[in-house]
Amino acid sequence: MSSAQNEEPLGNADAQWLGDVVPEVPLSKAQSRVVDVITRNPQLASYAEIAEIAQRADVNNSTVVRTAQTLGYRGWPDLQRELRARYLVLISTEDTLIEHGEHRSPLHDALTHDIDNLRQTLDNNTATDAEAAIATLAAAKSILVVGLGSFAGPASVMAHVGSTMGYPISLENRAGVHLATAINSLGEGDVLVVVNMWRSMKQLIAAAEAASAAGASIVAITDMRRGQLATGVADHLLVVPSEGISFFQSVTAATSVVYGLLAGMQAAQPERTRAAIRRTQQLWKDLDIYLD
């Protein structure tokens, strides 16, 4: 990635890049300096080590940690992940390539980066977060999973495997009238799972709001802890890093979260799952799908 030290500070008018990442809460003078460094230096805040943030703000490392906690985050890594998610939206797709720079080995670097994404996902979500989402999914009358573009990948996995397990679950990976028709069927007792990372999609936010207003529960898999989907609509929030090593996002962490939800759904309805799997396997034979 390019050096954060070469970054030119932003003016106050450009502080809007933070959105609601930094809420209006009482801060000490030292904490205010930390926030000022973050506000004026998006690239630095998104990628620098905690020691550099502390040096720029003329505070110690523990003050940076306490500032993040005061702002509602678990610590500096949690806040920095949120900042980086916003920063990657701020810059162009082409600039993302420049930001990530050259690779020693694309395969090695991609795998290493995704390992870190998975580690962050484990830190970002508690067992209680996951279990609450699983309980809602297991009790649903019906489940609709929506994801567009690259993010239709984990959405498709969830809908396919969930259906194989006998859950009344369907996929919508199109926008416009198709999304509107699918959302229109949701109501009390139904669940909408929204997979949306990187840039927030207006149609998905509007769809989630409409489903929530109709009485459906919303499970959001997203890379932002704050924002309209995360704080304004979601009943259950699962936060996953989505930064890749090139201009496109990674869905590895989101897919792993989906696998965890599916495993929990299987454990919650073991008899139904086993019966559905037996029927599916028989259909494989009847339809002569596989060579063996």
Side-chain angles (χ1 to χ4, degrees), residues 97-179:
L97 278 173
I98 299 171
E99 188 70 49
H100 289 145
E102 296 182 358
H103 309 299
R104 177 184 61 180
S105 164
L107 179 60
H108 176 274
D109 291 354
L111 292 173
T112 301
H113 192 83
D114 273 340
I115 288 170
D116 186 56
N117 280 348
L118 290 168
R119 190 176 293 114
Q120 288 186 52
T121 301
L122 192 59
D123 292 339
N124 288 340
N125 303 283
T126 67
T128 301
D129 295 332
E131 288 163 4
I134 289 166
T136 296
L137 290 162
K141 289 195 307 182
S142 73
I143 303 169
L144 175 66
V145 190
V146 298
L148 305 177
S150 298
F151 310 121
S156 177
V157 169
M158 186 170 191
H160 172 71
V161 178
S163 181
T164 300
M165 294 193 304
Y167 275 89
I169 184 169
S170 58
L171 168 71
E172 184 50 67
N173 58 5
R174 301 163 296 179
V177 295
H178 304 286
L179 180 60

Side-chain angles (χ1 to χ4, degrees), residues 51-99:
E52 187 169 0
I53 301 297
Q55 182 182 27
R56 290 286 191 100
D58 193 24
V59 299
N60 54 37
N61 289 6
S62 60
T63 298
V64 178
V65 175
R66 287 195 297 272
T67 301
Q69 293 170 339
T70 299
L71 294 174
Y73 298 88
R74 293 187 172 97
W76 171 248
D78 190 30
L79 172 56
Q80 189 174 50
R81 181 206 51 75
E82 188 84 4
L83 293 170
R84 186 153 58 241
R86 300 299 176 101
Y87 175 67
L88 291 172
V89 171
L90 177 70
I91 63 179
S92 70
T93 301
E94 184 177 358
D95 284 341
T96 304
L97 278 173
I98 299 171
E99 188 70 49

Side-chain angles (χ1 to χ4, degrees), residues 20-285:
D20 57 358
V21 171
V22 178
E24 293 290 337
V25 295
L27 297 172
S28 68
K29 290 183 178 179
Q31 290 174 336
S32 294
R33 291 201 300 274
V34 173
V35 171
D36 186 61
V37 168
I38 289 172
T39 300
R40 293 176 176 274
N41 301 277
Q43 186 188 47
L44 176 80
S46 301
Y47 289 102
E49 297 291 335
I50 188 172
E52 187 169 0
I53 301 297
Q55 182 182 27
R56 290 286 191 100
D58 193 24
V59 299
N60 54 37
N61 289 6
S62 60
T63 298
V64 178
V65 175
R66 287 195 297 272
T67 301
Q69 293 170 339
T70 299
L71 294 174
Y73 298 88
R74 293 187 172 97
W76 171 248
D78 190 30
L79 172 56
Q80 189 174 50
R81 181 206 51 75
E82 188 84 4
L83 293 170
R84 186 153 58 241
R86 300 299 176 101
Y87 175 67
L88 291 172
V89 171
L90 177 70
I91 63 179
S92 70
T93 301
E94 184 177 358
D95 284 341
T96 304
L97 278 173
I98 299 171
E99 188 70 49
H100 289 145
E102 296 182 358
H103 309 299
R104 177 184 61 180
S105 164
L107 179 60
H108 176 274
D109 291 354
L111 292 173
T112 301
H113 192 83
D114 273 340
I115 288 170
D116 186 56
N117 280 348
L118 290 168
R119 190 176 293 114
Q120 288 186 52
T121 301
L122 192 59
D123 292 339
N124 288 340
N125 303 283
T126 67
T128 301
D129 295 332
E131 288 163 4
I134 289 166
T136 296
L137 290 162
K141 289 195 307 182
S142 73
I143 303 169
L144 175 66
V145 190
V146 298
L148 305 177
S150 298
F151 310 121
S156 177
V157 169
M158 186 170 191
H160 172 71
V161 178
S163 181
T164 300
M165 294 193 304
Y167 275 89
I169 184 169
S170 58
L171 168 71
E172 184 50 67
N173 58 5
R174 301 163 296 179
V177 295
H178 304 286
L179 180 60
T181 299
I183 293 297
N184 192 45
S185 66
L186 298 179
E188 292 285 345
D190 298 318
V191 177
L192 173 65
V193 180
V194 181
V195 183
N196 185 201
M197 291 162 283
W198 188 39
R199 298 184 187 277
S200 297
M201 295 188 178
K202 291 182 179 180
Q203 289 192 12
L204 291 186
I205 301 297
E209 290 174 339
S212 179
S217 297
I218 312 299
V219 176
I221 300 175
T222 179
D223 58 356
M224 294 185 185
R225 192 174 298 281
R226 301 278 171 84
Q228 196 168 351
L229 176 63
T231 61
V233 187
D235 298 293
H236 304 285
L237 177 66
L238 297 168
V239 181
V240 296
S242 67
E243 184 180 9
I245 65 166
S246 188
F247 69 90
F248 47 84
Q249 303 301 99
S250 169
V251 297
T252 300
T255 304
S256 290
V257 165
V258 163
Y259 288 146
L261 294 176
L262 289 166
M265 291 162 65
Q266 183 278 321
Q269 300 280 357
E271 295 300 326
R272 179 170 74 177
T273 298
R274 283 195 289 268
I277 290 173
R278 284 194 295 269
R279 291 194 300 272
T280 297
Q281 289 177 323
Q282 184 58 51
L283 282 167
W284 292 346
K285 293 179 181 179

